[in-house]
Amino acid sequence: MSATSGRQALIIGASRGLGLVLANELARRGWRVIATTRRSGGRLQADADASHGRLEVESLEMTSSVQLAELSERLADRRFDLLFVNAAIDRGDLPIGEVSTDMFSEVMITNALSPLRTLEALRGLVAPGGTVAVMSSEQGSISRNTEHGFELYKASKAALNQLMRSYATRYVDDGQTKLLIDPGHNQTQLGGPDAPLTPRESIPAVADVLEAQAGAPGLQFLDRHGETVPW
């Protein structure tokens, strides 16, 4: 697709994996990108240093309401065409009866609650007609849950999708495009080394979807090909 010079994106959770590749892909396409990480340095900072100003780094622990408020204040004079939240953890393939209360809370807070808190805290930075998007997963689809395994992770993504549906209902008239994105099964720390895709294979397609859907009304749950994922 053609370069999109002048567009700005805020990518939450870009220290590695899908978020890191997305930040670099958008910068390569001509976007100006601010990407967040919990820890300073690392690959994201190195990529930013080599980006000639296309990529900037901000510090954020997404589960911290205080840090979200501080980030919003630091970026108060910026307006973004895209706010993309990429964050998820997995604590193993346990049947739900073996999941501790602490583990359940940790995964749900990180994968479902915090992304929506992030949208609430930062949505005011999104330009009129801009896009708010969250990285979801086909594993959050209830109708496609036909194989056993990873019950807590699936539940957290289904909860994320439901909360995003509530968010979209509450802000139905704000003019912003709202997307849940399934990037496919990727070779990341979360997806494991045997996954069929790499982020470098899947993320350019995700970026195509984000650009193609700009300005679309309502909430959509889409895969990397722009096809609808059933709820």
Side-chain angles (χ1 to χ4, degrees), residues 57-110:
V57 179
E58 282 281 352
S59 176
L60 176 68
E61 169 53 68
M62 186 187 67
T63 61
S64 168
S65 297
V66 171
Q67 290 194 27
L68 281 170
E70 290 173 347
L71 179 64
S72 179
E73 184 174 350
R74 290 198 301 273
L75 300 179
D77 62 342
R78 303 283 291 266
R79 287 299 175 267
F80 297 93
D81 301 282
L82 171 66
L83 167 60
F84 194 103
V85 181
N86 170 63
I89 60 172
D90 175 35
R91 291 295 180 253
D93 185 9
L94 296 174
I96 199 66
E98 297 178 17
V99 173
S100 70
T101 300
D102 286 345
M103 183 186 294
F104 184 89
S105 297
E106 179 192 21
V107 172
M108 285 292 182
I109 288 170
T110 302

Side-chain angles (χ1 to χ4, degrees), residues 83-226:
L83 167 60
F84 194 103
V85 181
N86 170 63
I89 60 172
D90 175 35
R91 291 295 180 253
D93 185 9
L94 296 174
I96 199 66
E98 297 178 17
V99 173
S100 70
T101 300
D102 286 345
M103 183 186 294
F104 184 89
S105 297
E106 179 192 21
V107 172
M108 285 292 182
I109 288 170
T110 302
N111 293 6
L113 177 61
S114 293
L116 269 297
R117 278 182 171 172
T118 299
L119 293 189
E120 294 283 6
L122 303 179
R123 62 184 304 274
L125 302 177
V126 180
T131 298
V132 294
V134 180
M135 196 75 85
S136 185
S137 170
E138 181 188 34
Q139 293 199 67
S141 169
I142 293 175
S143 62
R144 287 189 177 176
N145 184 10
T146 57
E147 298 180 3
H148 68 84
F150 298 95
E151 296 176 19
L152 176 55
Y153 181 77
K154 289 176 179 177
S156 72
K157 286 299 187 179
L160 169 69
N161 292 353
Q162 183 74 295
L163 289 172
M164 188 65 174
R165 174 76 84 171
S166 296
Y167 175 93
T169 300
R170 187 154 21 93
Y171 295 116
V172 65
D173 295 323
D174 68 357
Q176 294 177 355
T177 296
K178 302 170 184 69
L179 299 172
L180 287 159
I181 298 293
D182 165 33
H185 188 191
N186 282 265
Q187 294 174 21
T188 62
Q189 187 174 43
L190 191 67
D194 298 325
L197 295 169
T198 69
R200 292 189 182 279
E201 292 170 333
S202 62
I203 285 300
V206 169
D208 286 346
V209 172
L210 294 172
E211 291 183 344
Q213 293 297 325
L219 170 65
Q220 299 180 82
F221 184 12
L222 303 175
D223 67 15
R224 68 186 186 282
H225 304 299

